[in-house]
């Protein structure tokens, strides 16, 4: 049986409401009637149920999504990728609050926007029964009549109430756009989800592409832990005072094998020419020009305190020159540790 699509134009609300009532009495459901107007009349005026509201649920849904994302960013992410910052709270409240605010606002807006478009049945994907006079103030009543007989009855109702225009067409020319809408919004939603998910999968290492995840190749150095990076070649060295009130200005370096090794190397450069290799007192320069140079592997050196050795190296003594300009405090302590190891006397501290 052929269905018909009818359109009647009326010039005022009261008449339209009466027409809608009479058409309904003919057995036509509200879902088969459409009222078009350039003024947003409430559905109640025509005795119709309020159509499904998309605006509020989408705005609230967007808000909930925003809260979830903010929770993920501010709470889950720091736990997936912990950064140790010496007792500092992992998720401080103020920045988290900003995240919650931002994501909630953003997704509430996005949800409201989509809800608004759905509410207005955007986009129009099929041909619609329409008359330009609706734009100029007429109210259009569109009816889907299930048979020719019903169609004739509706036309009669329209004419009884002096419809300005009555249009009738085969309803086959006006397919339902529900399916196309579903495809449109479903497709848009799916595309959006892919656009968001793919970068996230890469970011959170769920999908690992070696040419993107280069961070795993970097050396991880936690706070205050080695290895320390060497200073760049053009950096300006900063050196604190060597002595304060005549005493070493720094704590002694612990007596470690590494420290002794560095000390031995520095000793062979700075001290061995006078004090002899391994401090045996037979340095070339010492033997020739500084006959009073003592060996450093005997009792005399063993009797000296660590600080005393540090001060001799730094200040010099009698004809032994000060080496403060050649050696940093760290270098000097390394040499002290090495000298300690020569005489057999234990170091005072740091072992
Ligand atoms: C130019 C030669 C020369 C150089 C270089 C030199 N010394 Fe001496 N050193 C001496 C002489 C000379 C003495 C004896 C000073 C005195 O007691 O009159 C001495 C004494 C010492 C003493 C003993 C001080 C004491 O009171 O018994 C120590 C320890 C010492 N030097 C360590 C070093 C160290 C470590 C270096 C390298 C960083 C070094 N010296 C470099 C010539 C040198």
């Amino acid at each position: 049986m052929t269905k018909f699509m009818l359109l009647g134009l009326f010039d005022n609300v009261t008449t339209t409401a009466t027409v809608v009532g009479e058409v309904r009495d003919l057995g036509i459901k509200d879902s088969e009637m459409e009222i078009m107007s350039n003024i947003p009349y409430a559905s109640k005026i025509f005795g119709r149920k309020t159509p499904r509201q998309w605006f509020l649920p989408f705005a609230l849904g967007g808000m909930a999504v925003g809260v979830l994302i903010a929770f993920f960013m501010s709470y889950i992410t720091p736990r997936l990728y912990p950064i140790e910052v010496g007792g500092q709270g992992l998720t401080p409240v103020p920045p988290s609050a900003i995240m919650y605010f931002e994501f909630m606002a953003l997704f509430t807006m996005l949800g409201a926007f989509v809800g608004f478009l759905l509410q207005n049945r955007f986009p129009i994907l099929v041909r619609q029964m329409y008359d330009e006079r609706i734009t100029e103030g007429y109210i259009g009543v569109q009816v889907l009549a299930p048979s020719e007989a019903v169609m004739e009855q509706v036309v009669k109702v329209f004419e009884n109430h002096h419809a300005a225009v009555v249009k009738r067409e085969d309803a086959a020319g006006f397919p339902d756009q529900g399916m196309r809408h579903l495809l449109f919004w479903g497709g848009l939603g799916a595309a959006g989800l892919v656009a968001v998910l793919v970068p996230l999968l890469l970011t959170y290492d769920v999908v690992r592409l070696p040419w993107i995840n280069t961070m795993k190749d970097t050396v991880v150095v936690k706070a205050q832990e080695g290895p320390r990076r060497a200073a760049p070649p053009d950096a300006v060295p900063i050196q604190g005072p060597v002595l304060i009130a005549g005493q070493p200005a720094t704590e002694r370096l612990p007596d470690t094998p590494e420290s002794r090794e560095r000390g031995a190397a520095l000793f062979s450069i700075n001290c061995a020419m006078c004090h002899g290799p391994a401090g045996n007192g037979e340095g070339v320069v010492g033997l020739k020009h500084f006959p009073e140079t003592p060996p450093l592997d005997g009792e005399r050196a063993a009797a000296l305190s660590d600080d005393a050795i540090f001060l001799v190296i730094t200040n010099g003594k009698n004809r032994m020159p000060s080496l403060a300009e050649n050696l940093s405090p760290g270098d000097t302590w390394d040499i002290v540790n090495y000298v300690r190891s020569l005489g057999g006397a234990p170091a005072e501290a740091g072992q």
Side-chain angles (χ1 to χ4, degrees), residues 280-341:
N280 61 10
E282 290 169 17
V284 186
V285 179
L287 288 178
K288 199 165 182 190
H289 301 289
F290 300 90
E292 74 275 32
T293 306
L296 297 176
D297 53 2
E299 276 174 30
R300 178 175 158 175
L304 293 169
S305 70
D306 290 350
D307 279 5
I309 300 176
F310 186 97
L311 290 173
V312 171
I313 299 171
T314 305
N315 292 331
K317 188 179 179 193
N318 299 327
R319 295 218 300 150
M320 173 176 158
S322 158
L323 290 160
E325 282 188 11
N326 303 21
L327 302 167
S328 72
D331 294 342
T332 307
W333 283 121
D334 287 334
I335 294 174
V336 170
N337 283 332
Y338 173 68
V339 170
R340 280 275 85 120
S341 74

Side-chain angles (χ1 to χ4, degrees), residues 4-350:
F4 287 90
M5 195 65 111
L6 291 162
L7 179 69
L9 294 195
F10 301 90
D11 59 5
N12 70 78
V13 181
T14 324
T15 319
T16 312
T18 318
V19 169
V20 169
E22 288 181 18
V23 171
R24 192 182 291 119
D25 290 343
L26 293 175
I28 301 219
K29 280 181 260 153
D30 269 4
S31 57
E32 286 164 349
M33 248 191 281
E34 189 88 56
I35 295 172
M36 299 176 249
S37 148
N38 65 347
I39 299 168
Y41 293 115
S43 308
K44 278 188 288 190
I45 293 180
F46 305 110
R48 286 156 61 87
K49 269 185 274 153
T50 311
R52 184 179 291 169
Q53 295 291 320
W54 291 107
F55 189 73
L56 197 61
F58 268 72
L60 290 178
M63 197 175 184
V65 170
V67 169
L68 282 180
I69 294 179
F71 176 75
F72 186 78
M73 295 293 259
S74 66
Y75 193 82
I76 307 285
T77 304
R79 274 159 181 80
L80 286 177
Y81 301 94
I83 300 173
E84 278 161 38
V85 278
Q88 177 76 29
L90 207 53
T91 320
V93 173
S96 301
I98 295 172
M99 274 198 225
Y100 277 92
F101 173 76
E102 293 289 345
F103 281 109
M104 267 166 66
L106 183 70
F107 281 86
T108 306
M109 275 190 282
L110 204 68
F113 185 66
V114 172
F116 180 80
L117 293 178
L118 281 178
Q119 187 82 60
N120 289 287
R121 299 186 214 164
F122 177 89
I124 292 166
L125 299 167
V126 292
R127 197 173 142 244
Q128 292 207 317
M129 193 79 151
Y130 189 71
D131 190 287
E132 273 155 26
R133 273 161 285 192
I134 291 169
T135 328
E136 288 155 17
Y138 279 91
I139 305 170
V141 178
Q142 180 197 301
V143 177
L144 179 66
S147 66
E148 194 164 352
V150 178
M151 186 265 282
E152 295 298 346
Q153 286 173 300
V154 175
V155 169
K156 202 175 264 172
V157 171
F158 280 2
E159 281 169 355
N160 285 348
H161 292 281
H162 311 289
V165 177
V166 177
K167 283 190 183 180
R168 58 187 103 176
E169 275 191 55
D170 190 338
F174 303 95
D176 186 55
Q177 69 165 356
M179 198 59 204
R180 296 190 191 191
H181 249 176
L182 204 69
L183 286 176
F184 176 84
W185 285 107
L188 205 67
L193 209 63
V194 168
V196 170
L197 269 185
V198 167
L200 281 181
L201 289 178
L202 293 173
T203 307
Y204 285 91
D205 286 345
V206 180
V207 174
R208 289 167 192 266
L209 299 183
W211 41 275
I212 287 187
N213 294 319
T214 48
M215 261 178 85
K216 71 172 166 47
D217 300 331
T218 30
V219 181
V220 178
V221 181
K222 292 181 184 169
Q224 305 301 323
E225 276 185 16
R228 302 278 300 268
R229 288 166 67 195
D234 51 350
V236 180
I238 297 176
Q239 194 69 65
V242 180
L243 300 176
I244 294 176
Q247 292 299 307
T250 61
E251 278 183 39
R252 56 160 300 132
L253 291 184
D255 183 16
T256 61
E258 295 77 31
S259 174
R260 286 188 191 183
E261 208 175 298
R262 286 195 299 266
L266 290 164
F267 187 93
S268 71
I269 296 168
N270 295 283
C271 324
M273 73 288 244
C274 295
H275 287 281
N280 61 10
E282 290 169 17
V284 186
V285 179
L287 288 178
K288 199 165 182 190
H289 301 289
F290 300 90
E292 74 275 32
T293 306
L296 297 176
D297 53 2
E299 276 174 30
R300 178 175 158 175
L304 293 169
S305 70
D306 290 350
D307 279 5
I309 300 176
F310 186 97
L311 290 173
V312 171
I313 299 171
T314 305
N315 292 331
K317 188 179 179 193
N318 299 327
R319 295 218 300 150
M320 173 176 158
S322 158
L323 290 160
E325 282 188 11
N326 303 21
L327 302 167
S328 72
D331 294 342
T332 307
W333 283 121
D334 287 334
I335 294 174
V336 170
N337 283 332
Y338 173 68
V339 170
R340 280 275 85 120
S341 74
L342 298 176
E348 282 169 12

